[in-house]
Amino acid sequence: MPSRLVIPKLSFFSPLLRRSDPFFSSPSSSSSSSSMAPPPILALALPSETGRVLSIQSHTVQGYVGNKSAVFPLQLLGYDVDPINSVQFSNHTGYPSFKGQVLDGKQLWDLIEGLAGNDLLYYTHLLTGYIGSVSFLNTVLQVVERLRSINPGLIYVCDPVMGDEGKLYVPPELVSVYREKVVPVASMLTPNQFEAEQLTGLKITSERDGLEACNILHAAGPKKVVITSLHLNGTLLLIGSHQKEKDHPPEQFKIAIPKIPTYFTGTGDLTTALLLGWSNKYPDNLEIASELAVSSLQALLQRTVSDYLKAGFDPQTSSLEIRLIQSQDDIKNPQIKYKAEKFL
């Protein structure tokens, strides 16, 4: 019979752990080690060329929504990303059941204080997605203020997740907090059509309405606005608007997006992450950033549908979990297939 592999059990004083090993410690060494300078945080000492992102979103153990949908793509695009999970659920809420925990505002602030206590609060970007309560959203506003006190150039990318297709799925009182407090401090805003209507009070029934909604939002604060999905007369559009200088008209464009007759989870979170990633690489060209984001997303969705069909499942009968890991090449090096058309 082949001999079994025997792994020795390591006690605290195992001879396999020598005092020269970096993880060796003993009670007697604690006093002397306390006087040693801690090693530098390499994400801060040697930051990536792209940036360091704090992402506050939901999290699921299985599947790709919220942070699970946003963190990996941003890392592929070269960002250091620190996620804070506003909720931690077993799976997204579209399943018959789910279990998990919800972070409250005090717990969020405790995490921020923990980072601050170790000088870890320097971020180039803040990204926020689904937030389920007014108290938590108010704490996020405190986080924005705290981060900007450390880095005044912080870019805050806000996906104001409130609802879709005419329905709110957050408490109604969140709408006024977003409109009155969050929009004015955001650098980039990525609402869908319904959310843009909620934030502006404008019913969007045409492309011109979409552009006017962007103008209203610019006047409130953010320089970049992307309405990520606009359904008009059977067509699906993305409308982007970049106001480069205050009191100057913004540069505005649209991208026609092919409709895929099924429902996916996590696509809004992924879209906003891709827009953050590419718009920071192309800070003065929101058009190219949006072309890259849309082309990447569409390649991923087409792969998702194809894989469900290969598995013998009808994609039109249920919501689909996106094939994020399998699409990493399309995230890192997307082929631009969907072009922006400027509004004149």
Side-chain angles (χ1 to χ4, degrees):
M1 293 179 61
S3 59
R4 294 169 56 196
L5 175 63
V6 179
I7 301 175
K9 184 178 180 181
L10 301 183
S11 69
F12 185 82
F13 293 106
S14 169
L16 297 181
L17 279 177
R18 303 178 300 279
R19 288 184 179 272
S20 59
D21 288 333
F23 298 107
F24 180 90
S25 63
S26 67
S28 62
S29 65
S30 59
S31 58
S32 61
S33 64
S34 63
S35 62
M36 296 173 61
I41 306 301
L42 291 180
L44 295 175
L46 300 173
S48 69
E49 294 180 0
T50 46
R52 186 165 185 254
V53 182
L54 180 65
S55 180
I56 305 176
Q57 300 194 59
S58 59
H59 169 85
T60 56
V61 176
Q62 191 279 331
Y64 294 99
V65 299
N67 270 331
K68 284 284 291 291
S69 190
V71 172
F72 180 65
L74 284 170
Q75 290 172 330
L76 285 177
L77 293 175
Y79 294 81
D80 284 310
V81 189
D82 292 347
I84 292 180
N85 300 324
S86 57
V87 303
Q88 177 171 259
F89 291 158
S90 55
N91 44 267
H92 70 70
T93 56
Y95 282 89
S97 65
F98 66 94
K99 298 284 186 179
Q101 302 82 36
V102 177
L103 199 71
D104 62 30
K106 180 182 182 304
Q107 291 167 326
L108 170 60
W109 195 249
D110 284 344
L111 293 172
I112 297 300
E113 287 293 307
L115 291 167
N118 293 289
D119 296 324
L120 298 175
L121 269 189
Y122 182 89
Y123 289 96
T124 58
H125 298 76
L126 171 66
L127 171 62
T128 61
Y130 174 77
I131 291 166
S133 70
V134 170
S135 62
F136 196 92
L137 187 54
N138 281 327
T139 305
V140 167
L141 288 163
Q142 292 179 265
V143 173
V144 176
E145 184 177 4
R146 185 70 172 271
L147 295 182
R148 283 194 170 143
S149 72
I150 297 168
N151 176 20
L154 176 87
I155 296 171
Y156 174 26
V157 178
C158 173
D159 182 4
V161 181
M162 294 183 290
D164 200 1
E165 298 179 347
K167 296 180 181 179
L168 283 173
Y169 40 69
V170 297
E173 55 267 27
L174 257 74
V175 176
S176 61
V177 179
Y178 270 112
R179 184 190 301 129
E180 297 167 13
K181 297 181 179 180
V182 178
V183 171
V185 299
S187 310
M188 176 189 284
L189 204 65
T190 62
N192 60 30
Q193 180 175 353
F194 174 71
E195 291 158 350
E197 291 175 338
Q198 294 295 307
L199 293 174
T200 61
L202 178 68
K203 185 67 176 177
I204 302 174
T205 59
S206 68
E207 292 179 9
R208 286 294 155 189
D209 290 340
L211 297 179
E212 179 58 25
C214 291
N215 293 336
I216 293 171
L217 293 170
H218 284 312
K223 292 183 177 180
K224 295 180 180 179
V225 177
V226 179
I227 302 179
T228 56
S229 56
L230 196 62
H231 298 267
L232 297 173
N233 303 318
T235 63
L236 177 61
L237 300 174
L238 173 147
I239 287 185
S241 185
H242 186 185
Q243 187 173 41
K244 295 184 178 181
E245 296 183 47
K246 193 173 179 62
D247 300 324
H248 284 67
E251 297 178 1
Q252 298 180 311
F253 60 90
K254 65 180 178 180
I255 300 177
I257 304 172
K259 282 189 173 183
I260 300 176
T262 190
Y263 181 79
F264 304 88
T265 56
T267 54
D269 308 315
L270 174 58
T271 299
T272 298
L274 292 172
L275 286 167
L276 185 164
W278 290 115
S279 66
N280 196 54
K281 291 177 182 287
Y282 296 93
D284 296 320
N285 199 327
L286 185 59
E287 293 175 41
I288 289 181
S290 298
E291 289 174 347
L292 287 161
V294 169
S295 297
S296 181
L297 178 67
Q298 287 301 305
L300 178 147
L301 297 183
Q302 289 165 9
R303 174 176 284 102
T304 299
V305 170
S306 175
D307 285 356
Y308 273 99
L309 288 171
K310 288 177 184 176
F313 183 82
D314 182 354
Q316 298 186 36
T317 60
S318 181
S319 64
L320 308 183
E321 299 274 14
I322 57 176
R323 297 287 274 175
L324 191 68
I325 306 303
Q326 295 76 13
S327 303
Q328 55 188 288
D329 289 340
D330 295 311
I331 294 170
K332 292 174 66 176
N333 300 297
Q335 296 182 1
I336 295 180
K337 294 184 178 180
Y338 305 94
K339 300 289 291 184
E341 179 183 344
K342 287 186 178 181
F343 288 102
L344 301 178

